[in-house]
Amino acid sequence: MSPTAQSTASARRVVFPFTAIVGQEEMKLALLLNVIDPKIGGVMIMGDRGTGKSTTIRALADLLPEISVVANDPFSSDPSDPDLMSDEVRQLLEQGAEIPVAHKKVQMVDLPLGATEDRVCGTIDIEKALSEGVKAFEPGLLAKANRGILYVDEVNLLDDHLVDVLLDSAASGWNTVEREGISIRHPARFVLVGSGNPEEGELRPQLLDRFGMHAEIHTVKEPALRVQIVEQRADFDQNPLVFLEKYKPQQEALQQQIVNAQKLLPEVKIDYELRVKISEVCSELDVDGLRGDIVSNRAAKALTAYEGRTEVTVDDIHRVITLCLRHRLRKDPLESIDSGYKVAKVFSRVFGVELPESDVAQKNGTGQKLGARS
């Protein structure tokens, strides 16, 4: 590695490369699809402790290309998209003022469990607003997360009211703070990623339904894979810069694939007949509301764009539909069959395809369903 490359790499925090992460295909696929289309609505990752949830999410944020922002803007406003601009920037644009542009890495914001609503949403200095007549706003974590990733570890332990606030902002793309008759709003469009361990309690069904996708991850059982993961981690810890250099070509290739997919996404089409069948699956599974239908369509399109195609196939839908629907089924406490298997079974009947072995392995909750092609 050249001295220049070394100094550049050491100038920022060293993060384990996304392409070096072994296994957990379901989680990786769900995260990538949400980055390609943030309107999917985020990912809830439930699984065992020590399975690399935080490592994977940090790796994804580090992988993403730099974005154009308005210089010195606390909300990382997009200089060209009015939907991702603060009201102040939009006013400047309407007045014909020149907007200074800068580039920065996509932010990954960690939400601590003990965070207050003021810390999350931001605060208004009422005294300053009344005495000086200016809207003195101290931005919170939602402002910092705009156009980035907001990660909530152990989201099932977070106060329900705060989860509501996060989900409302993620759905609307805006955060509004009101105090004593003074109202301030700013863009807050981010990929919401929550993780947790089912042993520590489940989220309320109403809140769970608001997450676009739900990935289940399990501890890797195969001894050879476990050894590979341990050795990779040891290599990375021993010499992170050499390890990063080794995975640089894969990282750059995946980064380009994401950029290409984001550009291609508006051109992706899904046949009317396939859309009807997706809705038929949702109807047969007795999924409440239409969120499941919408997310399944979006996720299938994102996967198609990710693979550089413009026509959604039955296989694309098969690979995402469990991720989109398994958390929307009404839970029967006496039910022993895994909800992912239920989704796969109804999908195979409606679409007239045979159930792959990976889906059958889930029947009693024993198998690890992969998002990758069966």
Side-chain angles (χ1 to χ4, degrees):
M1 184 188 274
S2 68
T4 317
Q6 272 194 321
S7 59
T8 309
S10 56
R12 59 187 177 86
R13 188 177 161 213
V14 178
V15 177
F16 194 85
F18 188 84
T19 50
I21 293 165
V22 176
Q24 309 303 7
E25 301 300 328
E26 191 172 275
M27 167 171 64
K28 292 193 290 192
L29 182 70
L31 289 168
L32 285 169
L33 297 185
N34 270 272
V35 164
I36 291 164
D37 183 4
K39 288 182 180 174
I40 286 171
V43 192
M44 180 69 195
I45 302 165
M46 291 299 265
D48 307 331
R49 288 180 291 272
T51 43
K53 297 187 285 281
S54 302
T55 301
T56 307
I57 295 151
R58 282 190 180 83
L60 178 68
D62 187 65
L63 170 78
L64 297 177
E66 288 190 339
I67 52 171
S68 301
V69 299
V70 175
N72 304 316
D73 180 78
F75 313 114
S76 303
S77 293
D78 189 318
S80 55
D81 184 351
D83 285 342
L84 297 170
M85 273 178 202
S86 65
D87 292 339
E88 291 80 2
V89 172
R90 198 184 289 117
Q91 282 166 10
L92 286 172
L93 207 62
E94 285 166 2
Q95 291 161 11
E98 194 175 326
I99 306 292
V101 177
H103 292 86
K104 73 175 197 179
K105 285 291 288 176
V106 168
Q107 290 277 305
M108 181 206 154
V109 177
D110 259 310
L111 183 83
L113 270 182
T116 61
E117 189 178 342
D118 282 350
R119 176 84 182 93
V120 173
C121 299
T123 53
I124 298 171
D125 188 334
I126 301 296
E127 200 176 312
K128 194 172 182 182
L130 294 174
S131 61
E132 298 177 29
V134 291
K135 288 184 177 178
F137 180 62
E138 185 64 43
L141 294 174
L142 292 181
K144 194 178 175 188
N146 186 39
R147 302 179 67 207
I149 297 171
L150 183 64
Y151 176 49
V152 190
D153 194 11
E154 299 187 69
V155 67
N156 44 344
L157 301 182
L158 195 67
D159 180 67
D160 278 350
H161 170 62
L162 270 185
V163 178
D164 273 328
V165 167
L166 294 179
L167 290 166
D168 285 341
S169 293
S172 67
W174 289 88
N175 172 43
T176 305
V177 183
E178 292 182 347
R179 298 283 185 277
E180 312 292 336
I182 297 168
S183 178
I184 288 178
R185 69 169 204 157
H186 67 78
R189 190 170 293 176
F190 47 82
V191 175
L192 179 63
V193 182
S195 71
N197 185 340
E199 291 171 10
E200 289 159 357
E202 293 280 354
L203 266 185
R204 294 205 323 262
Q206 310 91 291
L207 295 178
L208 200 52
D209 175 64
R210 300 270 292 279
F211 281 91
M213 301 176 93
H214 184 283
E216 285 182 4
I217 56 172
H218 306 275
T219 305
V220 174
K221 299 288 186 225
E222 298 88 340
L225 266 186
R226 290 173 78 116
V227 169
Q228 188 185 343
I229 292 165
V230 170
E231 284 177 349
Q232 276 197 322
R233 189 72 221 189
D235 289 348
F236 173 75
D237 290 340
Q238 192 174 349
N239 200 330
L241 298 182
V242 170
F243 193 84
L244 288 179
E245 194 68 15
K246 180 183 167 186
Y247 280 92
K248 195 177 175 187
Q250 293 101 303
Q251 289 283 99
E252 287 174 350
L254 182 55
Q255 188 184 77
Q256 192 55 51
Q257 194 177 351
I258 292 168
V259 172
N260 294 344
Q262 289 169 333
K263 288 177 186 167
L264 186 63
L265 187 62
E267 297 172 36
V268 177
K269 301 285 182 287
I270 179 165
D271 270 358
Y272 175 74
E273 190 185 323
L274 294 181
R275 297 202 299 270
V276 169
K277 284 187 173 179
I278 287 172
S279 291
E280 199 179 323
V281 171
C282 294
S283 180
E284 275 204 39
L285 288 166
D286 202 18
V287 172
D288 289 333
L290 293 172
R291 205 172 269 129
D293 307 52
I294 293 165
V295 171
S296 299
N297 277 275
R298 280 194 174 281
K301 283 182 173 182
L303 177 58
T304 304
Y306 176 60
E307 296 191 343
R309 295 176 283 109
T310 55
E311 289 289 332
V312 174
T313 65
V314 172
D315 187 50
D316 296 326
I317 298 165
H318 170 242
R319 289 156 66 194
V320 300
I321 200 160
T322 301
L323 285 163
C324 299
L325 298 182
R326 64 148 67 97
H327 56 302
R328 304 178 198 278
L329 308 191
R330 289 178 183 163
K331 283 206 166 59
D332 179 352
L334 302 175
E335 185 72 86
S336 60
I337 293 177
D338 179 85
S339 58
Y341 174 73
K342 267 186 173 173
V343 175
K345 195 177 172 188
V346 172
F347 168 85
S348 73
R349 188 166 67 246
V350 170
F351 280 81
V353 295
E354 201 174 320
L355 216 58
E357 282 179 31
S358 58
D359 289 324
V360 177
Q362 281 194 112
K363 185 170 182 178
N364 299 310
T366 55
Q368 184 179 347
K369 170 82 170 70
L370 295 184
R373 194 183 293 270
S374 302

